[in-house]
Amino acid sequence: MSNPQKQKAKEPEIIDATDSSDDHSESEREEHGGELDAAGETVAPSPSTSSKKKKKKRSKAKRLLNAIRGKDEIPQEVVDQVLDKVKAEGGPGSLEANAENIREALQQMKIMDVVQGKAGIGGFNKKDLGEHKFWGTQPVPQLGDGPTLEDGYIEPSKPREEVRQEPYPLPKDFEWTTIDVNDPAQTKEVYDLLTFNYIEDDHAAFRFQYTAEFLAWALKPPGYHKEWHIGVRVSSNKKLVAFISGVPMTLRVRKHVIQLSEINYLCVHKKLRSKRLAPVLIKEVTRQCHLKGIFQAIYTAGVVIPTPVSVCRYYHRLLNIPKLVNTHFCYVPRNMTLARMTRVNKPPSATSIPGLREMEERDVVPATQLFTEYMKRFDMAPLYDVEDIRHQFMSGMGEGEMGSGGAGRRERQVTWSYVVENPETGTITDFFSFYSLPSTVIGNTTYPTLEAAYLFYYATDAGLKGGQEQDQILKNRLLSLIGDAVIVANQANFDVFNALTLMDNMPILQELKFGMGDGFLNFYLYNWRTSPLAGMNSEGGVPAGRGVGVVML
């Protein structure tokens, strides 16, 4: 399935712009025996040698590709080990796993690693994995480092007077600006920049479509700092051409509680990515955080840079099948018709849990207590107080009556938050939330917008005592709770409901008819070292998903 999530796109990935193409120019010329023209094609040094070199290169490429495709390249013992692990973990698709499709998957992964530049014939290429000069200078775990023996900072904090006081220099003709997200005109500049220059999917078919309401919700949590909303303008016409943001967060990483910044929305105008603005933006937002006494950060990317603390995979619950097929988000399987595919994926018409209703102001305190208790299950999770909960789950609920913005929606609604109130005791036993982030369908006049819902946070008091029996109680409750979230999203005319392999999602995704997507999200910690956290795979005895309890927007 295609996906409009955070991954490397057809245009150069934004955070990957820290690597200069100039680093490769000389080696490319030497390898090809000629200069590269503006279109990236090789200009032959002479007609007499051109055909021989092309034939030689084609022959070499063919031999290498045939070697990759050869089934002997994946030893049977490797296939057996992977199959045993898949069966043991019991994740989505484990029941259908066999030696043949495991071998096929491994073979496809190997070929695609070479095609995408992640590996050479001899294995992974460290530079392609993100060993750029910039990240080699930063306080982050480096690729190839040994196992983490003890959690903690990489570089110590500094007193404010030792922090750089002046902004980092920009290339000629550019200047810094602080974005006031309370100013509608400046907010529009940001979402225009993001809409046309931010993340696309691999096939450049989908692009996130931000709104002023979404940015207000994402960039103005309690205690936010305006200095952490940083832009770059063209000096001559003041046009906004780059942006990066940070917002404060209290994060627990295993036993440590850290005050840090959540870094997001690093975006450089497509036509200016050769200016190497991304590293300067990262250094400047880091400087601004240091001035506030914050020396750690959390961020995500669809590409691999030094060094992920966890990797999660996107899953998709298809809702509007005809539209999703038309926009090439998914396809009709060979053994199925469009009508049958639509029928099979149709959610129930009504929710199933008694006492389910929209979250209200009176629910904020009990929801905070429920959230605090439930999030103890995960190795990395935010610590939210009452004001945080009010902001995260209620500030984006829109204006007017339900239905004023269309079926199941208010005007300018960003978040949907629901609680379960016990009909007998009046206590809040569960809640769930999801948010809206539509995508532009590039070049599609029939369906120009894809309405996507993203699973946000949820909590329940069921099955929290531990043990196999309690785990089953929890799973059954989440099947009902998140199943009702899918129904609510369908009633609000969302086209697809997306979720990541984090929190307690893994055991329920397959039964709720979520399909595996082709997008991955890498989680990173800046200036903090810890051993890998369980995301799409289990780690250190922690079940898959349970290492990551933080949802990044």
Side-chain angles (χ1 to χ4, degrees):
M1 298 179 189
S2 294
N3 71 296
Q5 278 73 38
K6 294 184 177 180
Q7 55 183 325
K8 194 169 183 179
K10 185 174 180 181
E11 289 290 335
E13 165 61 27
I14 293 158
I15 201 163
D16 206 27
T18 56
D19 189 24
S20 171
S21 59
D22 295 341
D23 294 341
H24 308 291
S25 59
E26 292 302 322
S27 61
E28 286 173 349
R29 292 189 191 95
E30 291 173 7
E31 180 182 339
H32 289 284
E35 295 295 327
L36 298 179
D37 68 11
E41 297 293 334
T42 303
V43 180
S46 70
S48 61
T49 59
S50 176
S51 60
K52 291 181 181 179
K53 288 191 175 183
K54 286 181 179 178
K55 184 180 291 184
K56 183 177 180 181
K57 287 171 67 179
R58 281 198 300 267
S59 175
K60 183 179 179 182
K62 186 175 181 180
R63 287 199 305 270
L64 293 175
L65 188 57
N66 286 338
I68 298 167
R69 285 173 171 161
K71 289 200 173 185
D72 290 341
E73 291 294 311
I74 307 294
Q76 183 60 42
E77 56 266 29
V78 174
V79 175
D80 293 340
Q81 289 176 15
V82 174
L83 180 59
D84 290 343
K85 187 170 183 179
V86 169
K87 294 287 188 183
E89 291 183 356
S94 60
L95 298 177
E96 295 80 13
N98 56 49
E100 182 179 354
N101 55 35
I102 289 292
R103 182 183 294 280
E104 182 179 352
L106 290 172
Q107 197 67 41
Q108 190 66 28
M109 288 168 62
K110 187 171 185 181
I111 292 173
M112 289 310 296
D113 278 347
V114 175
V115 171
Q116 296 171 356
K118 295 178 183 176
I121 300 305
F124 282 102
N125 180 319
K126 291 183 71 175
K127 186 176 180 80
D128 288 331
L129 282 174
E131 192 183 46
H132 309 314
K133 294 176 183 177
F134 173 74
W135 290 107
T137 67
Q138 300 302 298
V140 296
Q142 298 299 314
L143 297 170
D145 284 356
T148 298
L149 301 178
E150 185 177 357
D151 288 14
Y153 59 78
I154 297 171
E155 288 184 353
S157 303
K158 298 178 181 179
R160 195 179 194 280
E161 57 270 19
E162 293 183 17
V163 175
R164 180 188 177 107
Q165 301 296 309
E166 297 298 321
Y168 283 92
L170 283 168
K172 183 183 177 182
D173 302 325
F174 297 97
E175 62 185 33
W176 292 111
T177 184
T178 299
I179 300 297
D180 181 0
V181 291
N182 293 307
D183 179 358
Q186 294 188 52
T187 302
K188 185 178 186 304
E189 288 183 285
V190 173
Y191 71 71
D192 282 346
L193 177 70
L194 295 176
T195 295
F196 295 108
N197 300 278
Y198 199 40
I199 298 163
E200 296 173 353
D201 71 310
D202 275 343
H203 310 290
F206 303 96
R207 184 189 296 130
F208 285 139
Q209 189 181 103
Y210 290 93
T211 64
E213 293 76 31
F214 184 96
L215 292 175
W217 173 62
L219 298 180
K220 296 196 298 182
Y224 78 92
H225 304 292
K226 63 179 183 179
E227 297 87 356
W228 292 4
H229 301 154
I230 300 169
V232 174
R233 296 186 186 276
V234 178
S235 300
S236 59
N237 60 15
K238 307 305 179 185
K239 179 180 176 63
L240 185 69
V241 293
F243 180 74
I244 193 170
S245 73
V247 294
M249 174 188 284
T250 303
L251 186 73
R252 176 181 52 79
V253 182
R254 294 191 164 99
K255 296 180 181 180
H256 296 269
V257 175
I258 313 167
Q259 301 293 328
L260 48 67
S261 57
E262 176 186 342
I263 302 299
N264 215 336
Y265 309 117
L266 170 58
C267 181
V268 177
H269 195 286
K270 290 179 180 180
K271 293 183 178 180
L272 297 175
R273 292 189 182 158
S274 64
K275 299 292 185 181
R276 293 182 55 77
L277 293 174
V280 190
L281 281 162
I282 294 169
K283 289 194 292 185
E284 181 60 19
V285 75
T286 301
R287 185 184 75 88
Q288 291 288 354
C289 291
H290 287 177
L291 289 171
K292 298 290 186 182
I294 301 299
F295 291 85
Q296 279 74 39
I298 183 171
Y299 50 102
T300 58
V303 292
V304 180
I305 54 178
T307 299
V309 70
S310 189
V311 183
C312 292
R313 187 165 195 157
Y314 280 100
Y315 275 68
H316 312 288
R317 177 58 164 91
L318 309 180
L319 299 174
N320 188 342
I321 304 296
K323 181 175 178 179
L324 295 174
V325 171
N326 180 278
T327 57
H328 305 294
F329 184 90
C330 64
Y331 63 91
V332 180
R334 191 178 306 170
N335 60 346
M336 188 176 288
T337 65
L338 179 63
R340 182 166 179 263
M341 185 178 176
T342 302
R343 185 170 63 254
V344 166
N345 286 280
K346 184 178 181 180
S349 58
T351 56
S352 63
I353 302 179
L356 181 70
R357 59 171 175 80
E358 271 200 293
M359 184 180 288
E360 301 173 3
E361 174 61 32
R362 61 191 170 105
D363 305 316
V364 170
V365 171
T368 303
Q369 296 168 345
L370 188 61
F371 178 90
T372 300
E373 189 63 29
Y374 188 77
M375 298 306 284
K376 293 177 182 178
R377 295 175 52 80
F378 312 116
D379 288 338
M380 181 171 71
L383 302 183
Y384 284 160
D385 61 19
V386 170
E387 291 304 313
D388 293 318
I389 293 293
R390 180 179 288 110
H391 173 82
Q392 297 293 345
F393 302 130
M394 297 199 66
S395 68
M397 292 181 71
E399 302 171 359
E401 297 296 322
M402 180 61 74
S404 61
R409 298 170 179 249
R410 293 184 180 83
E411 293 183 19
R412 292 179 281 279
Q413 187 165 3
V414 177
T415 58
W416 279 251
S417 302
Y418 283 71
V419 299
V420 177
E421 181 179 356
N422 186 308
E424 298 178 359
T425 65
T427 57
I428 301 302
T429 60
D430 318 75
F431 76 83
F432 68 73
S433 59
F434 60 87
Y435 64 89
S436 168
L437 181 52
S439 288
T440 299
V441 185
I442 301 171
N444 192 312
T445 55
T446 305
Y447 297 112
T449 301
L450 184 75
E451 296 288 349
Y454 290 79
L455 183 59
F456 197 35
Y457 289 105
Y458 55 84
T460 178
D461 65 3
L464 296 184
K465 297 179 181 179
Q468 189 171 357
E469 183 178 341
Q470 291 289 307
D471 287 346
Q472 188 60 48
I473 292 173
L474 174 61
K475 178 182 176 179
N476 291 341
R477 187 58 170 181
L478 292 180
L479 284 170
S480 298
L481 190 66
I482 307 307
D484 278 358
V486 170
I487 293 169
V488 171
N490 187 56
Q491 292 171 344
N493 288 333
F494 282 95
D495 301 316
V496 63
F497 194 106
N498 300 319
L500 283 160
T501 55
L502 44 69
M503 296 179 63
D504 282 309
N505 295 351
M506 283 295 286
I508 64 174
L509 291 174
Q510 190 173 26
E511 290 187 44
L512 291 176
K513 300 182 180 179
F514 281 77
M516 183 186 295
D518 59 11
F520 298 86
L521 193 62
N522 300 284
F523 286 76
Y524 300 91
L525 292 173
Y526 184 90
N527 196 23
W528 191 263
R529 195 187 306 277
T530 190
S531 54
L533 300 167
M536 60 182 288
N537 298 313
S538 60
E539 290 283 354
V542 178
R546 291 270 300 275
V548 182
V550 57
V551 182
M552 298 281 286
L553 302 178

